[in-house]
Amino acid sequence: MTDDTMAFLSLIQKSDDGDFLKSVPEAALQRIMDYDVENLIGAAPHERTPDRQTYGYHLVRVQARTPGEPLGFEAARPALEQDWSKARGEAARKQQDEALRSRYSVSIDQAALERLVKANPQ
């Protein structure tokens, strides 16, 4: 049996108190909400994402959703200019890094590295 089937059977077995009809939609809504959150943050439960905050995740209760309004160009212009400027700066930095790297040759003395590692075990 699949995990979903097992979870459903477990739900039926636990529903001796007469709230079975209430517990089925609650379980379905919980699964939908879990799926939405997983897609929103890009990680399954107990997984970490690169953008995780220093203090971990925060539990937020969403009580209502209001559809957003599309921004006009003038309203979005400052954010667009900032994104464009940031992208140009990153591209220039990357180009400068490549130019610097092309000037140098890097080699590693394996014997010296091994001696250093043995002298400073962690």
Side-chain angles (χ1 to χ4, degrees):
M1 283 190 213
T2 66
D3 290 339
D4 291 338
T5 305
M6 294 300 292
F8 184 69
L9 290 175
S10 172
L11 182 66
I12 291 172
Q13 291 168 352
K14 291 179 186 176
S15 64
D16 291 334
D17 59 357
D19 281 342
F20 176 71
L21 291 178
K22 179 182 174 190
S23 61
V24 170
E26 283 177 351
L29 290 172
Q30 183 65 46
R31 303 257 320 159
I32 291 169
M33 190 170 70
D34 289 345
Y35 177 79
D36 283 347
V37 169
E38 191 173 310
N39 286 327
L40 181 66
I41 65 172
H46 310 292
E47 284 184 343
R48 292 177 180 243
T49 59
D51 59 342
R52 181 176 175 184
Q53 298 293 322
T54 304
Y55 299 108
Y57 297 111
H58 301 279
L59 183 61
V60 177
R61 175 176 280 173
V62 178
Q63 295 180 336
R65 289 186 182 187
T66 305
E69 295 290 326
L71 289 178
F73 178 74
E74 289 304 319
R77 186 179 194 133
L80 292 171
E81 287 175 345
Q82 184 179 8
D83 290 348
W84 177 74
S85 177
K86 183 179 177 182
R88 285 196 57 194
E90 288 174 1
R93 184 191 52 77
K94 197 179 260 187
Q95 186 178 15
Q96 186 178 30
D97 289 349
E98 289 299 319
L100 287 171
R101 282 192 196 108
S102 69
R103 294 184 203 167
Y104 301 97
S105 173
V106 177
S107 63
I108 298 174
D109 182 346
Q110 288 294 334
L113 179 61
E114 289 174 11
R115 286 192 305 271
L116 182 64
V117 169
K118 285 180 183 177
N120 298 302
Q122 292 183 345

